Structures are given as structure tokens and as C-alpha cells.
Amino acid sequence: LERPGLDKAAGEEFLREAFQVLLDEAVRKGTDVTEKVCDWKEPQELRELLDLELRSSGELPERLLERCRDVIRYSVKTCHPRFFNQLFSGLDHHALAGRLITEALNTSQYTYEIAPVFVLMEEVVLAKLRELVGWSSGDGIFCPGGSISNMYAMNVARFHCFPESRQKGSWALPRLALFTSRESHYSIQKGAAFLGIGTDNVHLVGTDERGKMIPEELEKEIQRAKAEGAKPFFVCATCGTTVLGAFDPLDGIADVCQRHGLWFHVDAAWGGSALLSGKHRHLLTGIERRVTLSDSELPTKQAQNSPADSVAWNPHKMLTVGLQCSAFLLRDTSGLLQRCHGAGAMYLFQPDKFYDVTYDTGDKTLQCGRRVDCLKLWLLWKAAGTEGLARRVERAFAYTQYLAEEVKRRDGFQLVLEPEFINLCFWFVPPSLRGREGSPDYWPRLGKVAPAIKERMMRKGSMMVGYQPHGARVNFFRQIVTNPAVTKDDLDFFLDEIERLGQDL
């Protein structure tokens, strides 16, 4: 016990060498267009290559460094310029530095005494995001992903309308009803199940041909729920649906919420970053709306004084901040988050501390330990400025428009619909199917094309892109570009490669 239980000098030497491996293999090779996006292996082969078994004795540093290399080698390089598979991609070096600092400091963002820099930093970053939404004041918290941000919205909305639910639970509540579009994120369904609201009480509102919620259909669903004896309390609009990239008409939805006294939440996890661009922020017109609930809809005077709207926004998507960075924003200034979630654990939130305890923000969350997600965004914002982030957003739109024009120009490519956002949805029709649109086997055969091409590109390691069916539409590709390192050559390669891989299908 007189000596440390670890060798600091050896540990620092290992870190130095491990950071070099990280720089060489993950950063340099991982962003090198001449390298593979993935080195595909089947699960059993990969298990054998990695030797995942944990044993009673440790290994030498040299072997551990080889294991670090193997982990990177066989992982998908999401920062590669030809990775188009998810709603996130790319590598920002400043944001990565922030992530490394966060990991090294290894603190939890619940009290000022243990995270003074980050408590203040989170406050500033959240205020800036609210300012972009159009709010001059409010509250918020960084959450572990957009799904959790949406669940926070449902939970806070329920507490806002029924404060007694915190103590008495669901037994004291009527049958609640919430509303979202058929194109909304699946986290709304999951959140309803998790919170005990029930998936049967999630009313999926009809959408138009572009996937936008129809306000008149929302009105009908609310009336139907009321007629069935349910209590409507929450509406979720979506800005940037996952598949088609649709933006719900926020003003029209807010008007419906206003009439019925419903909480107005905007899931802008995907599309929120368009707010940075003066050219494209019109897509979110109405996000700044405050819905004032009527006295008849609210059970307590305390609730009547609270603004009733919220926003989920994931900067880790379009802004290349790195996973994860999801903000839950509230216009409320009455301490709604604290009242909804606070438990006052005296070993953390002592009221007699020597500093201003209002900076101990951890009791606003469902978590106890909470990682620091603000630093990587703050450091990136400091480096790029708001104007630089806006250019990043506008570049993503320009990528998509270029690809859309190329798809329309090239034989064998067909748009599913004109893109409004940066989701580019299209089919590739191989030569064997061209001119056979009227045959009964055309669409079933076309539906097999995208999965076959996806398998080939994965095994080759040349690139990655997602596909899915949608309603009556058979499988199509959904191409997403958020990586600012992508060039026109990468986009041309993308279409050329699909054509090469699908030519003989």
C-alpha cells in the first residue's frame, strides 16, 4: 500500500504509442479515400481474428497495441469520405480533441464542484442553440441521444399537465393520448412504452406524398381520441424524417396544439442544424412558436405559468460533432425539468455548499452520472464559428442537389422523390430490368437490387450506403452526405460504383 498500484511511466508510454496508433490507423487511414470503408469479416471469423476471450493474466504492451490496431482495422470507418450509411459521418479534428479531453478528465456533469468548466460551458452552448431556435430564454440538458431527448419531452409534458403523476403514478391519470406522424422516429413509440403511456395510445397521423404531417388529419385524430374518452396531451412534429427527410408544417401543427391546449414538441434531431443557415432555416418556420395552454386544459396554477414547447436537436449528425451530442431544449424558465426529475440526493446536492448551488444542474436529469457532451461542440464552434457551421450545412445541401441532378441525368437511376433536405432516395435499375416496368415481376425484382448491391460493396469495402422499403415502394437507396471532407469525385465514384456493382443483376 506504500506504492501506487500502477506504473505511471509505463502507462504514459503505452498511451503515447496508443495515440500514435489512433492517429495513424483511425484518423489518417480512416479518412483516406484509398483505404477501405470496412474490412468485412463474418462473425465467427472476426471472433477468431480478434481473440476476444478474457483471461486471468494480462498481456504485454506490444500485444495490446496490436489489439488496438485490430480493433480499428476491422471496424467500420464512419469518418471515411465514402461512408454514406447513417445520419452521421465524417471527422472533425477539433471535436475529436474535445472528445479526447472529456475522456481523459473522466468527470460527471452533475455538480459544479466536480465539473465547474463544463457546467458553465453547457449553459452557454444550450443558450446558443435556443437562440438559433428563436428563444431568448429557457432551459435544457444534453441527453444520451435523440431518442432519449424525445422521451424527456414526453415525460416533462406529462408532468406539466399532470404534476400529481410524479407521486401517484399512472393510477391518478386518465388514459393519455399523444400524436405524431406516420413518418416520425420510432423513439416516440418506444418512449410511450417506456413511460407507461402505451403504444396503443400513440396516434399516428396521416402524411402527404412527401411524408409531411397533415394538420387537418391531426385535428381529426385529436377529436377521435377525445370521443374515445382519452386525454390528448402531447404532439410531436418532425423536422427531418429519417427516411424521406420531410419537415412537418410547424405553424399549422402549432395552431392545432393551440386550439386544444397540447404540448408542442419538435423532433429536430436530424433537421435542426438547418437553423444555422439563413438559406435553409425556412424549413423549420414555426419552431419558435409558443403554445399558450388554456386554463381549462391545465390542472394547476403552477402549470399555467409554464411555456409549453420543446425541441430535440442532435448536433452530432449534420455538424460532425461526434457521437453523441443531443440537446433537449425547453422554452420553460420555471424550473420544470428540476421539478419533474429532481430527487435531492443529499450526498450530491447539499444546499449548504460554499458556492451558488443553482449551478448543480444534475438533478434536472434522469441520470446520476452523465458524460460531458458539450465540450466537443463548443470546441468545434470556437474553431469554425457560426458562419463556418452554416457553410457546413449548406455544403451538405449542395452535395445532395448535385447528386440529385446526376441521378436524373444517368441511365438506370431513378429518384424516389425530389429531395427537400439532404436525404437522397433513389433506385438503381440494372440493364436486365430496363424497359420492363409493366411486367408483373418488375417491382419484386427491383426490390432485390439494393440489398444485392449493398452486400457487394460491403464485401469489397469500397463504400457504404443504406437502403430500405417505404410503404408501397420497394427497396431503394437512401444516400446521406454530412462529411465535409467529401468531394465531387467521391460523389461521382458513389454513383459509378453502384452502377458497376449492379450491372449484371
Side-chain angles (χ1 to χ4, degrees), residues 253-267:
I253 294 168
D255 288 341
V256 177
C257 292
Q258 181 83 51
R259 284 196 297 274
H260 293 277
L262 307 182
W263 182 282
F264 177 41
H265 173 66
V266 179
D267 176 8

Side-chain angles (χ1 to χ4, degrees), residues 184-202:
S184 64
H185 194 258
Y186 66 85
S187 61
I188 304 301
Q189 298 270 7
K190 283 196 170 190
F194 182 78
L195 294 171
I197 296 168
T199 56
D200 285 350
N201 298 311
V202 178

